[in-house]
Amino acid sequence: MNQFNQRNAMDANESAQLQRVLSDYTYALDVLDKYDHQLLEIENTTAENLFVITYETAMLAINGLRDRFGGSALFGNEKDDSFQGSLAAICQTFGGQYLYPSVEEKAAHLLYFVIKNHSFSDGNKRIAAFLFVWFLEKNNLLYGQDGRKRIADNALVAFTLMIAESKPEEKEMMVKVIVHLINSKN
């Protein structure tokens, strides 16, 4: 095979690889494009809430995490009433309608509020990340029909740190990004 034919064969192989990557990540690239153009909207979400998180159930879950993270009295120790406010906010209604009507919106706001309100002496990001995935699991959204996790560990870390580092004026966009990354399209 001459050099020209080898180059064309390599180009065909590279083209096939490029098409595969584009095909596999089309949704993610579309989300980034919509983010760049400030066009993200809440869509493809789950309306039926199977589980409503309460302060009591959340605190039981947090207390269960304490041993996992060394048993420190500071882990999950509430500094004020802001955690109760975070939980109340995700179930808030106006005119008889939920402010955050979908499970995904509630989950994204739960993650955001628990991180940003910094309600605990220690463990805010870990608690927020755990409550986020636990809430999704209780609402049958954490695992796909094939039983695999819909949110990889590295994605959970990235979501959590992205919110922790975000500015307050970016809240709505952060929530929209999270919703897009956990909605039924993913």
Side-chain angles (χ1 to χ4, degrees):
M1 185 185 291
N2 68 31
Q3 196 173 25
F4 178 77
N5 287 337
Q6 284 178 337
R7 181 66 191 150
N8 283 343
M10 193 166 63
D11 286 344
N13 186 40
E14 288 174 356
S15 178
Q17 288 176 336
L18 176 64
Q19 287 303 319
R20 186 173 132 223
V21 169
L22 284 173
S23 175
D24 286 350
Y25 290 94
T26 295
Y27 182 75
L29 296 170
D30 286 344
V31 169
L32 290 170
D33 183 62
K34 288 177 183 176
Y35 173 86
D36 284 346
H37 294 97
Q38 300 292 299
L39 298 173
L40 277 179
E41 296 296 330
I42 302 294
E43 56 190 13
N44 303 309
T45 57
T46 308
E48 185 179 356
N49 289 269
L50 303 174
F51 171 74
V52 176
I53 193 167
T54 65
Y55 175 75
E56 292 76 20
T57 59
M59 288 309 297
L60 283 172
I62 292 166
N63 289 333
L65 285 178
R66 184 173 285 121
D67 289 338
R68 168 70 176 87
F69 293 109
S72 166
L74 293 177
F75 182 89
N77 177 54
E78 292 180 88
K79 297 190 300 187
D80 53 27
D81 293 335
S82 62
F83 181 60
Q84 291 180 46
S86 295
L87 295 176
I90 68 165
C91 294
Q92 188 176 9
T93 61
F94 181 76
Q97 302 293 315
Y98 282 114
L99 259 47
Y100 313 119
S102 72
V103 173
E104 293 87 349
E105 288 170 276
K106 287 178 178 75
H109 281 90
L110 175 64
L111 182 64
Y112 187 91
F113 291 145
V114 175
I115 291 169
K116 288 302 204 182
N117 286 344
H118 215 270
S119 303
F120 303 99
S121 302
D122 182 41
N124 289 281
K125 289 184 289 298
R126 287 170 286 167
I127 290 167
F130 173 77
L131 292 176
F132 171 71
V133 293
W134 181 60
F135 181 80
L136 289 171
E137 193 276 329
K138 296 292 273 181
N139 279 290
N140 294 329
L141 294 178
L142 186 58
Y143 299 97
Q145 290 182 351
D146 61 0
R148 285 201 263 167
K149 293 189 291 189
R150 290 182 61 225
I151 302 169
D153 289 5
N154 56 356
L156 180 60
V157 170
F159 293 170
T160 303
L161 295 177
M162 177 184 73
I163 289 173
E165 295 298 321
S166 69
K167 298 175 184 147
E169 59 271 16
E170 297 170 326
K171 175 189 170 276
E172 289 308 313
M173 188 55 71
M174 293 296 104
V175 167
K176 286 178 182 178
V177 167
I178 298 299
V179 168
H180 273 271
L181 299 178
I182 64 173
N183 71 13
S184 63
K185 292 276 246 183
N186 256 328

